[in-house]
Each structure stands twice: as C-alpha cells, then as structure tokens.
Amino acid sequence: VGAWSCLPLSVAVIVMIARPKNRDERGWQIFGKAGVVAFAVFFVAVNVIAKSSGGMPWEVSLIFYASTLQWLYDLVLAVWIVAVLVLRRVM
C-alpha cells in the first residue's frame, strides 16, 4: 500500500512545482516553508522509529525496513503537500 500511495503523492508534488503560477518568489517561499515543516516531521519520525526499534533482540527483515522507509517517504510528501496548501491559504 505504501508503494502504491507513493505514486500519486510524487505526481502531485511534481505537478505543484511545475505549475507556472508557482514559479514566482511567493511560490518558492511557500515551498521553502513547507520543506522546513516536512523536514521537522521527518526528523521527529526518524527519531521515533529509531527509539522504538532500537535494541530489538530479533532480526527484522529487509522488507520491513524497506516498507518503513516507504511509509516515511509517503509521510514527508503528504506533510509537504498539506503544508503548501495551508500556507497558500494563509499567505
């Protein structure tokens, strides 16, 4: 599910960046602020994942790690998209 949800999120980000109306200074400022918000969420999520999975006595498969990274990527893209939409309304 994480891999399939990545495709529409990635396409949405590319379309949002590629639109001509978003290429002015205001659009880049919104993208920059949304990037900071998405990075903060990424930073917190990575630390939560590291603390919750650290010190496991059993082996975890590579598929589990790949799935975790995929969901983390999806989370960051979703937060960036929501932040752009909110900042566009506020600013």
Side-chain angles (χ1 to χ4, degrees), residues 12-13 15 21 23 26 35 39 43 48 52-53 55 57 60 63 89:
V13 167
V15 167
K21 131 179 168 178
R23 292 186 191 160
R26 179 178 174 268
F39 177 74
F43 183 76
V48 167
S52 66
S53 65
V60 179
I63 295 173
R89 298 252 183 214

Side-chain angles (χ1 to χ4, degrees), residues 18-73:
R19 289 177 64 192
K21 131 179 168 178
N22 293 331
R23 292 186 191 160
D24 60 352
E25 289 181 22
R26 179 178 174 268
W28 290 117
Q29 286 176 351
I30 290 173
F31 291 159
K33 289 177 184 177
V36 170
V37 171
F39 177 74
V41 169
F42 173 76
F43 183 76
V44 170
V46 164
N47 283 306
V48 167
I49 291 169
K51 291 293 182 187
S52 66
S53 65
M56 281 194 225
W58 59 85
E59 289 289 322
V60 179
S61 70
L62 292 177
I63 295 173
F64 177 78
Y65 282 125
S67 178
T68 303
L69 289 175
Q70 185 68 53
W71 281 107
L72 186 60
Y73 179 71

Side-chain angles (χ1 to χ4, degrees), residues 71-87:
W71 281 107
L72 186 60
Y73 179 71
D74 291 346
L75 174 70
V76 169
L77 285 181
V79 166
W80 189 85
I81 291 169
V82 169
V84 166
L85 295 175
V86 168
L87 287 171

